[in-house]
Amino acid sequence: MKTRISKGMKSVALTLLVMTLTAFQAHSKTLSFERAKKDTAFKTFVGKVIDNTTRKPVVFANVYLIGSSLGTVTNAEGEFVLKVPTTELDRKVGISYLGYNNKVISLADLKDKENVIRLEISAVSLDEVVIRTDDPLELLKMAFRRINDNYKTDPEMLIGFYRETVKQNRSYVAVAEAVLDVYKSSYGSLVDFDRVKIYKGRKSEDVKKSDTLMFKLQGGPRTSFLLDVVKNPGELLSEDYLENYNYRFAGFASIDGRDNYVIEFDQKENVDMPLYKGRIYLDTKNMAFARLEFSYSDKALVLADNELIRKKPMDLKVDVLGAEYMVNYRMLNDKWYLNHVRSELVFKCNWKKKRYNATYTTALEMAVTDRDTVNITKSKYRDQTKMTDIFADQVNAYKDENYWGEYNYIKPDESIESVINKLNRKLKWQSIDEK
């Protein structure tokens, strides 16, 4: 069991984090902070969201235009870029994140850049919270025992919306999206696995071409489902790895109106392998894993470089500056389902021979938009996305201008929730049946 689980999580590391780098020279239009400011139909607001007490960045916080589907999320540094149509400048902006009080600010009160927004931690009423124990390890063991009760033990079909991006400094050098057709295997099976197939895809041609290096993200759509760590626990949630972490009970938090135990964890100092730190949210009523936020531990960042780079020039130095992950589950009819995953990784590249120094940020995000428990069809092996695939290189094979219609232009700073709302009609199951 330990060998199988360890390989599963290792695959996540070797596909989500590993980049293929090749020498590349080109010039094109730049989709960047500077270009955004020149777009006269929009006004751009740049800022940072931080914890009011610790002053640390709040990663993956939602920043959205109230009363609109427009929005974005903060990056690994808590930074955001929000583009607002000039016709909507009388609206207000909402900022929200789990465990914090929501904040509302008028656009008129924001500057064009260098906005710093501080969020206050919210208090949770304990009147109806079921307090079983404050021993974090005991809570985790309860959650492990209830996985087959809380999650689907029968396979189902999913439709997912997927996006991946690569930025060089502040300019996008790769943006690609797809609608996925997914066979989701049972959470109780040790031999069946998820099968991911691309239904429709597209990538933006209106991006800057990397001036010296090209980063390529390997295995993205497949990797987004490997981040279902309840199904693929690996070095993060496997009971075989519990002894490698320090755990702390960190109180309670509310998610979608439901109370959750919060468990903080970090790898132990004497563990000589790249592991994680973060927070686990367990539903207090049924002990389901509701949400996980994790990143490479401080020690892992020192050890991670050799683990994460698949191919690079010999004299290029690459340092991993950060690796942030978020996995969300949602309850429906007393069962919990994978709902949303997001990851962002930051690399510093120093190539002395070329006098080249740049920071690259890679991100992937996937949201499940529809489910079917009746019409179950496993895609053929040749049609599945694989861990060795480079999605950005293959996506044009799934291009269909008629499918995207008027939404054929990718806005990389737009939240995927906004894109899903626009494409909602085309993301329904009947569109899959038309193939």
Side-chain angles (χ1 to χ4, degrees), residues 153-164:
T153 53
D154 295 316
E156 59 180 349
M157 299 300 296
L158 309 178
I159 292 180
F161 185 81
Y162 172 81
R163 174 192 287 167
E164 70 179 38

Side-chain angles (χ1 to χ4, degrees), residues 95-123:
I95 303 95
S96 65
Y97 189 73
L98 176 67
Y100 290 85
N101 293 322
N102 290 358
K103 194 156 190 174
V104 177
I105 302 174
S106 295
L107 283 171
D109 294 331
L110 289 178
K111 300 176 291 185
D112 290 353
K113 58 183 180 179
E114 297 181 353
N115 295 286
V116 178
I117 300 171
R118 295 176 171 84
L119 295 186
E120 297 273 1
I121 294 178
S122 62

